[in-house]
Amino acid sequence: MSVFKNVNVVSIPVTRWEESKKFYTELLEGWPVIWAGDEIGWMEFGKENETHIALNRWDHEPNRDNSVIPVFTVDDVAGTAAMLKAHGVRCEEVEVIPGMVAYCTFYDPEGNRLQMAGAPPAA
């Protein structure tokens, strides 16, 4: 039996602190900021009893090969990707696995990979 109950927070390493705070505040518009402290380099977004997203300021370059990939649920992957691209966010092409999922990888200003996923478009 696992001692792990759920995913509490997804921590994203960043070196461009101010730019990353702005990016995630805009990306997660409407999500409450649970706690933010410039002095220790931590900013956490989320709702009660849900997984949180946290920015963790690194004073040296993190190892991108081992970074986590937060996956956000969206209603319209293609529409959301188009909206992000219109705001200058780097997005890869939307991938569709018919009958299963549509997803898209996009990137924050630090080059961290993020993904969005949702229902595939109707056939």
Side-chain angles (χ1 to χ4, degrees), residues 6 11 22 30 58-60 62 65 80 82 85 87 89 97 112 118:
N6 59 26
S11 174
K22 181 181 184 305
W58 286 44
D59 295 328
H60 61 282
D65 292 337
T80 303
K85 286 178 183 178
H87 283 88
V89 176
I97 300 173
N112 289 305

Side-chain angles (χ1 to χ4, degrees), residues 6-24:
N6 59 26
V7 176
N8 179 277
V9 65
V10 175
S11 174
I12 302 169
V14 299
T15 57
R16 296 191 317 242
W17 182 241
E18 293 301 324
E19 186 178 358
S20 295
K21 287 192 313 182
K22 181 181 184 305
F23 176 85
Y24 282 94

Side-chain angles (χ1 to χ4, degrees), residues 9-107:
V9 65
V10 175
S11 174
I12 302 169
V14 299
T15 57
R16 296 191 317 242
W17 182 241
E18 293 301 324
E19 186 178 358
S20 295
K21 287 192 313 182
K22 181 181 184 305
F23 176 85
Y24 282 94
T25 297
E26 292 173 358
L27 180 72
L28 303 175
E29 181 181 349
W31 287 33
V33 174
I34 301 303
W35 194 86
D38 289 338
E39 65 282 358
I40 66 165
W42 188 267
M43 184 174 194
E44 190 168 327
F45 301 86
K47 299 175 185 172
E48 185 74 26
N49 298 318
E50 293 183 6
T51 302
H52 294 177
I53 297 290
L55 304 181
N56 181 10
R57 185 185 66 224
W58 286 44
D59 295 328
H60 61 282
E61 187 64 29
N63 180 349
R64 298 289 176 208
D65 292 337
N66 294 325
S67 67
V68 296
I69 304 174
V71 180
F72 299 94
T73 301
V74 297
D75 290 328
D76 177 7
V77 174
T80 303
M83 182 271 301
L84 289 174
K85 286 178 183 178
H87 283 88
V89 176
R90 182 176 138 217
C91 296
E92 294 181 3
E93 293 300 314
V94 173
E95 301 286 336
V96 176
I97 300 173
M100 184 182 286
V101 68
Y103 68 94
C104 177
T105 299
F106 62 106
Y107 299 85

